[in-house]
Amino acid sequence: MTGIHDLTERNAAFAADRFKTGLSINPSGNLMIVGCVDPRVDPTHVLGLDQGEAAVIRNVGGRITPATLSTMAMLRKVGQANPDGKQPGDWNLVILHHTDCGMTDLVAYPDLLAAFFEIAPNELRNKSVSDPFGSVRVDVDVALREVNRSAFLVSGLVYDVATGRVETVVAPTPPRVAP
């Protein structure tokens, strides 16, 4: 078991050897990743990101839910309040799902899943819960509908927990910005 003593010792090693000073509250890579809480799929590790390069939101399944959209809106406001660290160029929203996801175990609990997505249980089939390739497409579509911003791209990746490789399912796509 990993105890608090282990964590504080690891933190001391991090602070001494790997801590980067002067990072901005805004990601240096204009990158936001939505990924799963599964400990096998830490987006910063599997995508080789540096500290401060991306904002990472994690939830069960790495899904775009009303709560995820609310978190994204809040982070946008934080970024607007701190314009000094903003990098030029397009923002990239990467939705990262993975194989062997525990969310597939939740299919047996439709009321729980429906509450998570804030939909009626009979709408769950539209969420492609049991297929990471289908679910990443569904969530990219949701993000493309909900993110009404120019200079923004949305893409979808699936990480294979057996090989450690990611596959691009949806290439970077700009949202449909309303006039």
Side-chain angles (χ1 to χ4, degrees):
M1 182 171 107
T2 304
I4 195 71
H5 180 73
D6 298 319
L7 296 176
T8 57
E9 282 186 359
R10 291 178 191 182
N11 173 257
F14 164 80
D17 300 330
R18 297 184 314 277
F19 176 70
K20 293 182 180 180
T21 61
L23 294 175
S24 168
I25 197 167
N26 290 303
S28 65
N30 283 358
L31 179 63
M32 181 179 294
I33 300 169
V34 177
C36 186
V37 297
D38 188 316
R40 301 171 295 174
V41 191
D42 184 331
T44 59
H45 291 276
V46 302
L47 298 175
L49 299 172
D50 288 329
Q51 184 182 2
E53 193 172 355
V56 178
I57 301 169
R58 294 177 76 175
N59 65 27
V60 176
R63 301 305 303 260
I64 300 294
T65 65
T68 310
L69 294 169
S70 177
T71 298
M72 290 170 58
M74 292 168 72
L75 290 174
R76 181 173 183 212
K77 295 295 184 189
V78 169
Q80 290 171 342
N82 296 277
D84 291 343
K86 185 173 181 333
Q87 301 296 316
D90 290 345
W91 265 88
N92 294 288
L93 171 62
V94 175
I95 300 168
L96 176 66
H97 292 185
H98 67 92
T99 60
D100 192 35
C101 185
M103 181 166 261
T104 61
D105 298 328
L106 300 175
V107 171
Y109 306 95
D111 291 337
L112 182 64
L113 277 176
F116 177 69
F117 287 111
E118 297 183 26
I119 60 175
N122 65 348
E123 297 176 52
L124 283 172
R125 67 184 166 280
N126 299 328
K127 292 298 181 183
S128 195
V129 173
S130 297
D131 170 23
F133 294 88
S135 65
V136 83
R137 285 185 194 95
V138 166
D139 285 359
V140 165
D141 286 345
V142 171
L144 289 171
R145 272 194 321 270
E146 297 295 329
V147 175
N148 191 16
R149 296 178 53 200
S150 59
F152 203 89
L153 300 169
V154 181
S155 58
L157 304 175
V158 172
Y159 173 75
D160 188 325
V161 299
T163 67
R165 303 289 304 216
V166 295
E167 180 177 335
T168 301
V169 178
V170 180
T173 306
R176 301 175 267 297
V177 179

